[in-house]
Amino acid sequence: MEKLTQARTQLNQLVVGREKEIDFMLIALIQGGHVLLESVPGSGKTWMAKAFAGSFAGQFQRIQFTPDVLPSDVTGIRFFNPKTQEFELRAGPVQTNLLLADEINRATPRTQSSLLESMEEKQATIDGETIQLPDPFIVIATQNPVESQQGTFPLPAAQLDRFLFRLEIGYPNQQEELSIIRNFRDNVSHKKEILPVASVEDVRKWRIEASKVAVHEDIEMYIVSLVRATREHPSIELGLSSRAALALVHAAQGRAFIEGRNFVTPDDVKYILEPVAVHRLMLTAEGMLIQEPTAILREISTSVASPVEAF
């Protein structure tokens, strides 16, 4: 836990005012989940992902998605080597521990789908040959919602469901913005501050320890009740799936673990509910005119009884 605390402290120093988002990214790393960062341009999404990757001594790759990026540019390719007169396999950027998929919604649906197998099964198939990806492997993707009509391709529901968290990053407050100006105005100081404080083996150990965090049967019933409530809400056309229910369990275990507890509480579930569920909901046409998904989730969280008596 000492190295986890060190990584958490360093990241909070490198990325101003994003303590909650950093916690969610740490949970995703520990539990092998993926993160979708969404915000307006210039809000620090890419810098946050790079600082996060630099805090761990693992492999890091970045793909800048554009409409002309091909699936083979992501997963890899088999090419003919004239020297050896044989076909050779060259793995793509997915052969890494942390993949930054920058502006993922600029890629075509065909290229976006090339990540589905990697994100779900931790493997990639190239010309019929399957290669296993390193452990851990997580994707941190970014997208700009303000450019939804400017040559972009919205992620389909199947792709969104692969992300453990969707984090909407807002503007910093006045004091945080002042700190950003003071800390980074020389344009080079922050590049010297990123030091790897934890190894890949540390991350694997954290995952094993997080999997041992106890989930009381009342907490399990609470999660199932929340999931089923999304399916019965009149403003929701497509509610949470069974995969989402498992994501809630894993994310709650991760939250308890980084807080130094060996059991999950109802507050852990409430804390991670919105970023786990918001991108997995599909509202009805009428629902989209009345409420935001976040408001509906808060309403459901309030209406479903919490098993506080067990804690």
Side-chain angles (χ1 to χ4, degrees):
M1 286 297 292
E2 181 181 351
K3 288 188 178 180
L4 179 60
T5 302
Q6 291 175 359
R8 205 175 180 183
T9 301
Q10 174 173 270
L11 285 166
N12 286 326
Q13 292 172 348
L14 292 169
V15 186
V16 179
R18 301 298 181 202
E19 291 84 0
K20 191 171 183 178
E21 288 82 0
I22 286 169
D23 281 354
F24 285 129
M25 292 172 72
L26 286 170
I27 292 170
L29 176 66
I30 293 168
Q31 297 292 51
H34 311 289
V35 181
L36 179 62
L37 302 178
E38 186 172 290
S39 183
V40 296
S43 56
K45 300 184 298 296
T46 302
W47 163 244
M48 184 161 66
K50 290 177 69 176
F52 186 81
S55 297
F56 301 93
Q59 296 177 318
F60 171 70
Q61 295 284 348
R62 174 180 176 178
I63 305 175
Q64 186 66 50
F65 280 105
T66 57
D68 60 348
V69 173
L70 300 174
S72 58
D73 296 326
V74 178
T75 58
I77 192 171
R78 185 180 292 278
F79 70 100
F80 182 75
N81 188 333
K83 292 184 178 180
T84 61
Q85 294 293 301
E86 294 180 351
F87 282 94
E88 296 181 7
L89 186 68
R90 179 181 293 167
V94 294
Q95 191 71 15
T96 187
N97 294 119
L98 194 151
L99 177 67
L100 172 56
D102 218 358
E103 296 186 304
I104 190 173
N105 57 332
R106 286 191 177 278
T108 62
R110 182 184 176 193
T111 302
Q112 290 176 8
S113 66
S114 66
L115 277 172
L116 285 173
E117 181 185 13
S118 300
M119 294 173 69
E120 180 65 19
E121 301 176 46
K122 316 295 185 183
Q123 66 183 32
T125 302
I126 306 170
D127 289 341
E129 182 174 342
T130 299
I131 58 171
Q132 294 299 317
L133 301 182
D135 180 29
F137 169 77
I138 73 166
V139 174
I140 297 179
T142 71
Q143 66 176 5
N144 299 325
V146 296
E147 296 180 339
S148 59
Q149 303 299 324
Q150 301 175 19
T152 59
F153 304 88
L155 298 178
Q159 184 94 33
L160 288 171
D161 200 36
R162 262 54 173 194
F163 288 98
L164 178 61
F165 295 126
R166 175 186 173 188
L167 306 179
E168 296 184 12
I169 303 173
Y171 289 112
N173 61 38
Q174 185 177 17
Q175 189 57 46
E176 290 169 348
E177 201 144 31
L178 187 60
S179 297
I180 292 171
I181 291 173
R182 290 173 176 172
N183 292 344
F184 304 116
R185 60 187 170 192
D186 63 4
N187 206 31
V188 294
S189 63
H190 63 281
K191 296 180 182 178
K192 303 175 183 177
E193 297 174 351
I194 307 177
L195 299 173
V197 296
S199 66
V200 169
E201 188 58 36
D202 290 325
V203 176
R204 294 183 187 133
K205 290 178 181 178
W206 296 342
R207 184 192 307 161
I208 294 173
E209 292 173 15
S211 67
K212 298 176 182 177
V213 172
V215 183
H216 194 275
E217 61 181 16
D218 288 344
I219 295 292
E220 293 175 336
M221 285 301 301
Y222 179 48
I223 289 174
V224 170
S225 297
L226 288 170
V227 168
R228 297 187 69 83
T230 65
R231 301 170 187 168
E232 298 165 0
H233 197 282
S235 296
I236 299 177
E237 182 177 344
L238 180 65
L240 296 181
S241 65
S242 297
R243 180 189 284 139
L246 283 170
L248 286 169
V249 173
H250 294 152
Q253 284 180 304
R255 155 72 174 172
F257 175 72
I258 67 172
E259 291 298 314
R261 283 183 279 103
N262 62 356
F263 60 91
V264 173
T265 69
D267 286 340
D268 291 324
V269 179
K270 293 176 182 177
Y271 185 84
I272 54 87
L273 175 62
E274 187 174 312
V276 169
V278 68
H279 57 291
R280 291 179 161 96
L281 299 179
M282 185 179 295
L283 305 189
T284 63
E286 184 179 353
M288 287 188 285
L289 298 174
I290 299 174
Q291 286 179 296
E292 291 287 332
T294 52
I296 294 175
L297 285 170
R298 290 175 191 140
E299 175 190 324
I300 290 173
S301 179
T302 303
S303 63
V304 175
S306 173
V308 291
E309 64 275 4
F311 301 89

Short mmCIF file of all heavy atoms in Angstrom, two decimals, residues 210-265:
data_model
loop_
_atom_site.label_atom_id
_atom_site.label_comp_id
_atom_site.label_asym_id
_atom_site.label_seq_id
_atom_site.Cartn_x
_atom_site.Cartn_y
_atom_site.Cartn_z
N ALA A 210 -6.97 -6.82 -3.97
CA ALA A 210 -8.29 -6.21 -4.16
C ALA A 210 -9.36 -7.28 -4.37
O ALA A 210 -10.51 -7.11 -3.96
CB ALA A 210 -8.26 -5.25 -5.35
N SER A 211 -8.97 -8.40 -5.01
CA SER A 211 -9.95 -9.47 -5.25
C SER A 211 -10.39 -10.14 -3.96
O SER A 211 -11.42 -10.81 -3.91
CB SER A 211 -9.36 -10.51 -6.20
OG SER A 211 -8.30 -11.21 -5.58
N LYS A 212 -9.59 -9.97 -2.88
CA LYS A 212 -9.92 -10.56 -1.59
C LYS A 212 -10.80 -9.65 -0.73
O LYS A 212 -11.21 -10.04 0.37
CB LYS A 212 -8.63 -10.89 -0.83
CG LYS A 212 -7.75 -11.92 -1.53
CD LYS A 212 -6.45 -12.14 -0.78
CE LYS A 212 -5.54 -13.12 -1.51
NZ LYS A 212 -4.24 -13.28 -0.82
N VAL A 213 -11.08 -8.44 -1.21
CA VAL A 213 -11.95 -7.53 -0.47
C VAL A 213 -13.35 -8.15 -0.38
O VAL A 213 -13.94 -8.53 -1.40
CB VAL A 213 -12.01 -6.14 -1.15
CG1 VAL A 213 -13.06 -5.26 -0.49
CG2 VAL A 213 -10.63 -5.48 -1.10
N ALA A 214 -13.86 -8.26 0.81
CA ALA A 214 -15.13 -8.95 1.05
C ALA A 214 -16.32 -8.13 0.54
O ALA A 214 -16.39 -6.92 0.74
CB ALA A 214 -15.30 -9.23 2.54
N VAL A 215 -17.25 -8.83 -0.12
CA VAL A 215 -18.49 -8.22 -0.58
C VAL A 215 -19.64 -8.96 0.10
O VAL A 215 -19.94 -10.11 -0.24
CB VAL A 215 -18.64 -8.29 -2.12
CG1 VAL A 215 -19.91 -7.58 -2.56
CG2 VAL A 215 -17.42 -7.69 -2.81
N HIS A 216 -20.26 -8.31 1.09
CA HIS A 216 -21.35 -8.93 1.84
C HIS A 216 -22.53 -9.22 0.92
O HIS A 216 -22.75 -8.53 -0.08
CB HIS A 216 -21.78 -7.98 2.96
CG HIS A 216 -22.65 -8.62 4.00
ND1 HIS A 216 -24.02 -8.72 3.85
CD2 HIS A 216 -22.35 -9.18 5.20
CE1 HIS A 216 -24.53 -9.30 4.93
NE2 HIS A 216 -23.54 -9.60 5.76
N GLU A 217 -23.29 -10.27 1.24
CA GLU A 217 -24.42 -10.63 0.40
C GLU A 217 -25.46 -9.51 0.33
O GLU A 217 -26.16 -9.37 -0.68
CB GLU A 217 -25.07 -11.93 0.91
CG GLU A 217 -25.62 -11.86 2.32
CD GLU A 217 -26.21 -13.18 2.76
OE1 GLU A 217 -25.93 -14.21 2.10
OE2 GLU A 217 -26.95 -13.19 3.76
N ASP A 218 -25.55 -8.69 1.37
CA ASP A 218 -26.46 -7.54 1.32
C ASP A 218 -25.99 -6.51 0.29
O ASP A 218 -26.81 -5.86 -0.36
CB ASP A 218 -26.56 -6.88 2.70
CG ASP A 218 -27.34 -7.74 3.69
OD1 ASP A 218 -28.05 -8.66 3.24
OD2 ASP A 218 -27.25 -7.49 4.91
N ILE A 219 -24.68 -6.37 0.16
CA ILE A 219 -24.12 -5.47 -0.85
C ILE A 219 -24.40 -6.03 -2.25
O ILE A 219 -24.75 -5.28 -3.18
CB ILE A 219 -22.61 -5.28 -0.65
CG1 ILE A 219 -22.32 -4.57 0.67
CG2 ILE A 219 -22.00 -4.52 -1.83
CD1 ILE A 219 -22.77 -3.13 0.71
N GLU A 220 -24.27 -7.33 -2.40
CA GLU A 220 -24.58 -7.96 -3.69
C GLU A 220 -26.04 -7.72 -4.07
O GLU A 220 -26.34 -7.36 -5.22
CB GLU A 220 -24.31 -9.47 -3.62
CG GLU A 220 -22.84 -9.82 -3.46
CD GLU A 220 -22.61 -11.30 -3.28
OE1 GLU A 220 -23.55 -11.99 -2.83
OE2 GLU A 220 -21.50 -11.78 -3.58
N MET A 221 -26.95 -7.87 -3.11
CA MET A 221 -28.37 -7.64 -3.39
C MET A 221 -28.62 -6.16 -3.69
O MET A 221 -29.46 -5.82 -4.54
CB MET A 221 -29.21 -8.08 -2.19
CG MET A 221 -29.36 -9.59 -2.06
SD MET A 221 -30.12 -10.34 -3.53
CE MET A 221 -31.69 -9.47 -3.57
N TYR A 222 -27.89 -5.29 -3.02
CA TYR A 222 -28.02 -3.85 -3.26
C TYR A 222 -27.61 -3.51 -4.69
O TYR A 222 -28.31 -2.76 -5.39
CB TYR A 222 -27.14 -3.10 -2.26
CG TYR A 222 -27.14 -1.60 -2.39
CD1 TYR A 222 -28.34 -0.89 -2.51
CD2 TYR A 222 -25.95 -0.89 -2.39
CE1 TYR A 222 -28.33 0.50 -2.62
CE2 TYR A 222 -25.93 0.50 -2.49
CZ TYR A 222 -27.13 1.18 -2.61
OH TYR A 222 -27.12 2.55 -2.73
N ILE A 223 -26.51 -4.10 -5.16
CA ILE A 223 -26.05 -3.85 -6.54
C ILE A 223 -27.06 -4.40 -7.55
O ILE A 223 -27.39 -3.73 -8.53
CB ILE A 223 -24.66 -4.48 -6.75
CG1 ILE A 223 -23.61 -3.69 -5.96
CG2 ILE A 223 -24.29 -4.53 -8.23
CD1 ILE A 223 -22.22 -4.31 -5.97
N VAL A 224 -27.57 -5.60 -7.30
CA VAL A 224 -28.56 -6.19 -8.20
C VAL A 224 -29.82 -5.31 -8.24
O VAL A 224 -30.42 -5.10 -9.30
CB VAL A 224 -28.90 -7.62 -7.77
CG1 VAL A 224 -30.11 -8.15 -8.53
CG2 VAL A 224 -27.70 -8.54 -7.98
N SER A 225 -30.22 -4.78 -7.09
CA SER A 225 -31.41 -3.91 -7.04
C SER A 225 -31.19 -2.63 -7.85
O SER A 225 -32.10 -2.17 -8.55
CB SER A 225 -31.74 -3.56 -5.59
OG SER A 225 -32.07 -4.71 -4.85
N LEU A 226 -29.99 -2.06 -7.76
CA LEU A 226 -29.69 -0.86 -8.54
C LEU A 226 -29.72 -1.16 -10.04
O LEU A 226 -30.29 -0.38 -10.83
CB LEU A 226 -28.30 -0.33 -8.16
CG LEU A 226 -28.15 0.33 -6.79
CD1 LEU A 226 -26.69 0.57 -6.47
CD2 LEU A 226 -28.92 1.66 -6.74
N VAL A 227 -29.14 -2.28 -10.42
CA VAL A 227 -29.11 -2.66 -11.84
C VAL A 227 -30.52 -2.88 -12.36
O VAL A 227 -30.89 -2.40 -13.44
CB VAL A 227 -28.25 -3.93 -12.02
CG1 VAL A 227 -28.42 -4.52 -13.42
CG2 VAL A 227 -26.78 -3.62 -11.76
N ARG A 228 -31.33 -3.61 -11.61
CA ARG A 228 -32.69 -3.89 -12.06
C ARG A 228 -33.56 -2.63 -12.08
O ARG A 228 -34.47 -2.51 -12.90
CB ARG A 228 -33.32 -4.97 -11.17
CG ARG A 228 -32.58 -6.31 -11.24
CD ARG A 228 -33.30 -7.40 -10.48
NE ARG A 228 -34.55 -7.78 -11.14
CZ ARG A 228 -34.63 -8.63 -12.15
NH1 ARG A 228 -33.53 -9.20 -12.63
NH2 ARG A 228 -35.78 -8.94 -12.69
N ALA A 229 -33.26 -1.69 -11.20
CA ALA A 229 -34.02 -0.44 -11.19
C ALA A 229 -33.78 0.36 -12.48
O ALA A 229 -34.69 1.04 -12.96
CB ALA A 229 -33.63 0.40 -9.98
N THR A 230 -32.57 0.26 -13.05
CA THR A 230 -32.32 0.96 -14.32
C THR A 230 -33.13 0.35 -15.46
O THR A 230 -33.49 1.05 -16.41
CB THR A 230 -30.83 0.93 -14.69
OG1 THR A 230 -30.41 -0.42 -14.95
CG2 THR A 230 -29.98 1.52 -13.57
N ARG A 231 -33.41 -0.96 -15.37
CA ARG A 231 -34.16 -1.62 -16.44
C ARG A 231 -35.65 -1.31 -16.36
O ARG A 231 -36.37 -1.49 -17.34
CB ARG A 231 -33.94 -3.13 -16.36
CG ARG A 231 -32.49 -3.55 -16.49
CD ARG A 231 -32.31 -5.02 -16.17
NE ARG A 231 -30.89 -5.41 -16.12
CZ ARG A 231 -30.46 -6.56 -15.64
NH1 ARG A 231 -31.34 -7.46 -15.18
NH2 ARG A 231 -29.16 -6.83 -15.63
N GLU A 232 -36.09 -0.89 -15.18
CA GLU A 232 -37.52 -0.64 -14.98
C GLU A 232 -37.88 0.84 -15.00
O GLU A 232 -39.06 1.19 -14.92
CB GLU A 232 -37.94 -1.26 -13.63
CG GLU A 232 -37.74 -2.77 -13.58
CD GLU A 232 -37.81 -3.32 -12.15
OE1 GLU A 232 -38.01 -2.50 -11.23
OE2 GLU A 232 -37.64 -4.55 -11.97
N HIS A 233 -36.89 1.71 -15.10
CA HIS A 233 -37.15 3.15 -15.09
C HIS A 233 -37.83 3.57 -16.39
O HIS A 233 -37.39 3.19 -17.48
CB HIS A 233 -35.85 3.93 -14.90
CG HIS A 233 -36.04 5.34 -14.48
ND1 HIS A 233 -36.41 6.33 -15.38
CD2 HIS A 233 -35.94 5.96 -13.28
CE1 HIS A 233 -36.51 7.48 -14.74
NE2 HIS A 233 -36.24 7.28 -13.47
N PRO A 234 -38.90 4.36 -16.32
CA PRO A 234 -39.65 4.73 -17.53
C PRO A 234 -38.86 5.57 -18.53
O PRO A 234 -39.21 5.59 -19.72
CB PRO A 234 -40.84 5.52 -16.98
CG PRO A 234 -40.41 5.98 -15.62
CD PRO A 234 -39.52 4.91 -15.10
N SER A 235 -37.82 6.25 -18.09
CA SER A 235 -37.04 7.09 -19.01
C SER A 235 -35.86 6.37 -19.63
O SER A 235 -35.14 6.94 -20.45
CB SER A 235 -36.53 8.34 -18.26
OG SER A 235 -37.59 9.15 -17.84
N ILE A 236 -35.63 5.10 -19.24
CA ILE A 236 -34.49 4.34 -19.74
C ILE A 236 -34.96 3.24 -20.68
O ILE A 236 -35.78 2.40 -20.32
CB ILE A 236 -33.68 3.72 -18.58
CG1 ILE A 236 -33.13 4.82 -17.67
CG2 ILE A 236 -32.54 2.87 -19.11
CD1 ILE A 236 -32.38 4.31 -16.46
N GLU A 237 -34.44 3.27 -21.90
CA GLU A 237 -34.78 2.24 -22.88
C GLU A 237 -33.91 1.01 -22.71
O GLU A 237 -34.37 -0.12 -22.84
CB GLU A 237 -34.61 2.81 -24.30
CG GLU A 237 -34.98 1.84 -25.39
CD GLU A 237 -34.88 2.45 -26.77
OE1 GLU A 237 -34.83 3.69 -26.87
OE2 GLU A 237 -34.86 1.69 -27.76
N LEU A 238 -32.60 1.22 -22.46
CA LEU A 238 -31.66 0.12 -22.27
C LEU A 238 -30.96 0.31 -20.94
O LEU A 238 -30.18 1.24 -20.76
CB LEU A 238 -30.63 0.10 -23.42
CG LEU A 238 -29.58 -1.01 -23.36
CD1 LEU A 238 -30.23 -2.38 -23.51
CD2 LEU A 238 -28.53 -0.80 -24.45
N GLY A 239 -31.25 -0.59 -19.99
CA GLY A 239 -30.67 -0.49 -18.65
C GLY A 239 -29.33 -1.18 -18.55
O GLY A 239 -28.74 -1.58 -19.56
N LEU A 240 -28.85 -1.33 -17.34
CA LEU A 240 -27.53 -1.93 -17.11
C LEU A 240 -27.57 -3.44 -17.34
O LEU A 240 -28.54 -4.10 -16.99
CB LEU A 240 -27.07 -1.63 -15.69
CG LEU A 240 -26.84 -0.16 -15.34
CD1 LEU A 240 -26.36 -0.02 -13.90
CD2 LEU A 240 -25.85 0.48 -16.29
N SER A 241 -26.49 -3.96 -17.89
CA SER A 241 -26.38 -5.38 -18.20
C SER A 241 -25.75 -6.13 -17.03
O SER A 241 -25.33 -5.53 -16.02
CB SER A 241 -25.51 -5.57 -19.44
OG SER A 241 -24.18 -5.13 -19.17
N SER A 242 -25.64 -7.44 -17.17
CA SER A 242 -24.97 -8.25 -16.15
C SER A 242 -23.49 -7.90 -16.09
O SER A 242 -22.88 -7.96 -15.02
CB SER A 242 -25.15 -9.74 -16.46
OG SER A 242 -26.52 -10.09 -16.40
N ARG A 243 -22.89 -7.54 -17.24
CA ARG A 243 -21.50 -7.10 -17.23
C ARG A 243 -21.35 -5.83 -16.39
O ARG A 243 -20.36 -5.66 -15.67
CB ARG A 243 -21.00 -6.85 -18.66
CG ARG A 243 -19.54 -6.39 -18.69
CD ARG A 243 -19.13 -5.92 -20.07
NE ARG A 243 -18.90 -7.06 -20.96
CZ ARG A 243 -19.28 -7.10 -22.23
NH1 ARG A 243 -19.92 -6.08 -22.77
NH2 ARG A 243 -19.02 -8.15 -22.97
N ALA A 244 -22.33 -4.96 -16.48
CA ALA A 244 -22.30 -3.73 -15.68
C ALA A 244 -22.40 -4.05 -14.19
O ALA A 244 -21.77 -3.39 -13.36
CB ALA A 244 -23.43 -2.80 -16.10
N ALA A 245 -23.21 -5.06 -13.84
CA ALA A 245 -23.33 -5.46 -12.43
C ALA A 245 -21.98 -5.95 -11.91
O ALA A 245 -21.57 -5.61 -10.78
CB ALA A 245 -24.39 -6.55 -12.29
N LEU A 246 -21.27 -6.75 -12.71
CA LEU A 246 -19.94 -7.20 -12.32
C LEU A 246 -18.97 -6.03 -12.21
O LEU A 246 -18.11 -5.98 -11.32
CB LEU A 246 -19.41 -8.21 -13.34
CG LEU A 246 -19.98 -9.63 -13.24
CD1 LEU A 246 -19.55 -10.46 -14.45
CD2 LEU A 246 -19.53 -10.31 -11.95
N ALA A 247 -19.11 -5.07 -13.13
CA ALA A 247 -18.25 -3.89 -13.09
C ALA A 247 -18.46 -3.11 -11.80
O ALA A 247 -17.51 -2.58 -11.20
CB ALA A 247 -18.52 -3.00 -14.30
N LEU A 248 -19.71 -3.03 -11.34
CA LEU A 248 -20.00 -2.35 -10.08
C LEU A 248 -19.33 -3.05 -8.91
O LEU A 248 -18.78 -2.40 -8.01
CB LEU A 248 -21.51 -2.27 -9.86
CG LEU A 248 -22.29 -1.28 -10.72
CD1 LEU A 248 -23.79 -1.49 -10.58
CD2 LEU A 248 -21.94 0.16 -10.35
N VAL A 249 -19.36 -4.38 -8.93
CA VAL A 249 -18.72 -5.14 -7.85
C VAL A 249 -17.21 -4.90 -7.85
O VAL A 249 -16.61 -4.58 -6.81
CB VAL A 249 -19.01 -6.65 -8.00
CG1 VAL A 249 -18.22 -7.45 -6.98
CG2 VAL A 249 -20.50 -6.93 -7.83
N HIS A 250 -16.59 -5.03 -9.01
CA HIS A 250 -15.13 -4.87 -9.10
C HIS A 250 -14.71 -3.45 -8.76
O HIS A 250 -13.70 -3.24 -8.06
CB HIS A 250 -14.65 -5.24 -10.50
CG HIS A 250 -14.83 -6.68 -10.84
ND1 HIS A 250 -15.02 -7.15 -12.13
CD2 HIS A 250 -14.87 -7.78 -10.04
CE1 HIS A 250 -15.14 -8.46 -12.10
NE2 HIS A 250 -15.07 -8.87 -10.85
N ALA A 251 -15.46 -2.47 -9.25
CA ALA A 251 -15.11 -1.08 -8.96
C ALA A 251 -15.27 -0.76 -7.48
O ALA A 251 -14.46 -0.04 -6.89
CB ALA A 251 -15.98 -0.14 -9.80
N ALA A 252 -16.31 -1.31 -6.85
CA ALA A 252 -16.51 -1.09 -5.42
C ALA A 252 -15.40 -1.75 -4.60
O ALA A 252 -14.92 -1.18 -3.61
CB ALA A 252 -17.88 -1.64 -4.99
N GLN A 253 -14.96 -2.94 -5.02
CA GLN A 253 -13.83 -3.58 -4.35
C GLN A 253 -12.57 -2.73 -4.49
O GLN A 253 -11.81 -2.56 -3.53
CB GLN A 253 -13.57 -4.96 -4.95
CG GLN A 253 -14.56 -6.03 -4.53
CD GLN A 253 -14.25 -7.38 -5.17
OE1 GLN A 253 -14.15 -7.48 -6.40
NE2 GLN A 253 -14.07 -8.39 -4.35
N GLY A 254 -12.35 -2.18 -5.68
CA GLY A 254 -11.19 -1.33 -5.90
C GLY A 254 -11.23 -0.07 -5.07
O GLY A 254 -10.22 0.36 -4.51
N ARG A 255 -12.41 0.50 -4.94
CA ARG A 255 -12.58 1.71 -4.11
C ARG A 255 -12.25 1.41 -2.65
O ARG A 255 -11.55 2.16 -1.98
CB ARG A 255 -14.01 2.22 -4.27
CG ARG A 255 -14.58 3.03 -3.14
CD ARG A 255 -14.00 4.41 -3.05
NE ARG A 255 -14.71 5.17 -2.02
CZ ARG A 255 -14.36 6.37 -1.58
NH1 ARG A 255 -13.30 6.96 -2.07
NH2 ARG A 255 -15.05 6.98 -0.65
N ALA A 256 -12.78 0.28 -2.15
CA ALA A 256 -12.49 -0.10 -0.77
C ALA A 256 -11.00 -0.35 -0.57
O ALA A 256 -10.42 0.05 0.44
CB ALA A 256 -13.30 -1.35 -0.39
N PHE A 257 -10.36 -0.98 -1.57
CA PHE A 257 -8.95 -1.32 -1.45
C PHE A 257 -8.07 -0.07 -1.36
O PHE A 257 -7.19 0.01 -0.51
CB PHE A 257 -8.52 -2.18 -2.64
CG PHE A 257 -7.06 -2.49 -2.67
CD1 PHE A 257 -6.50 -3.37 -1.76
CD2 PHE A 257 -6.22 -1.88 -3.59
CE1 PHE A 257 -5.15 -3.66 -1.77
CE2 PHE A 257 -4.87 -2.15 -3.61
CZ PHE A 257 -4.33 -3.04 -2.70
N ILE A 258 -8.29 0.90 -2.25
CA ILE A 258 -7.43 2.10 -2.22
C ILE A 258 -7.70 2.95 -0.98
O ILE A 258 -6.87 3.78 -0.61
CB ILE A 258 -7.59 2.96 -3.49
CG1 ILE A 258 -8.98 3.58 -3.58
CG2 ILE A 258 -7.27 2.15 -4.74
CD1 ILE A 258 -9.11 4.59 -4.72
N GLU A 259 -8.84 2.71 -0.32
CA GLU A 259 -9.14 3.40 0.93
C GLU A 259 -8.62 2.62 2.14
O GLU A 259 -8.83 3.03 3.28
CB GLU A 259 -10.64 3.63 1.06
CG GLU A 259 -11.21 4.65 0.08
CD GLU A 259 -10.61 6.02 0.25
OE1 GLU A 259 -10.51 6.50 1.40
OE2 GLU A 259 -10.19 6.63 -0.77
N GLY A 260 -7.98 1.47 1.89
CA GLY A 260 -7.36 0.71 2.97
C GLY A 260 -8.31 -0.19 3.73
O GLY A 260 -8.01 -0.58 4.87
N ARG A 261 -9.44 -0.56 3.14
CA ARG A 261 -10.40 -1.44 3.81
C ARG A 261 -10.44 -2.80 3.11
O ARG A 261 -10.18 -2.90 1.93
CB ARG A 261 -11.80 -0.82 3.80
CG ARG A 261 -11.97 0.29 4.82
CD ARG A 261 -13.39 0.84 4.82
NE ARG A 261 -13.60 1.81 3.75
CZ ARG A 261 -14.23 1.57 2.62
NH1 ARG A 261 -14.75 0.36 2.40
NH2 ARG A 261 -14.37 2.50 1.70
N ASN A 262 -10.82 -3.84 3.87
CA ASN A 262 -10.94 -5.18 3.30
C ASN A 262 -12.39 -5.60 3.14
O ASN A 262 -12.70 -6.79 3.04
CB ASN A 262 -10.18 -6.20 4.15
CG ASN A 262 -10.74 -6.30 5.56
OD1 ASN A 262 -11.66 -5.55 5.94
ND2 ASN A 262 -10.21 -7.23 6.34
N PHE A 263 -13.30 -4.65 3.10
CA PHE A 263 -14.72 -4.93 2.87
C PHE A 263 -15.35 -3.74 2.15
O PHE A 263 -14.90 -2.60 2.27
CB PHE A 263 -15.45 -5.20 4.19
CG PHE A 263 -15.41 -4.05 5.17
CD1 PHE A 263 -16.41 -3.09 5.18
CD2 PHE A 263 -14.34 -3.93 6.06
CE1 PHE A 263 -16.37 -2.03 6.08
CE2 PHE A 263 -14.29 -2.87 6.95
CZ PHE A 263 -15.30 -1.91 6.96
N VAL A 264 -16.41 -4.04 1.39
CA VAL A 264 -17.12 -3.03 0.62
C VAL A 264 -18.30 -2.50 1.43
O VAL A 264 -19.02 -3.28 2.08
CB VAL A 264 -17.63 -3.62 -0.71
CG1 VAL A 264 -18.53 -2.62 -1.45
CG2 VAL A 264 -16.46 -4.01 -1.60
N THR A 265 -18.51 -1.20 1.40
CA THR A 265 -19.64 -0.58 2.07
C THR A 265 -20.63 -0.04 1.03
O THR A 265 -20.26 0.13 -0.15
CB THR A 265 -19.18 0.59 2.96
OG1 THR A 265 -18.72 1.66 2.13
CG2 THR A 265 -18.08 0.15 3.92
#
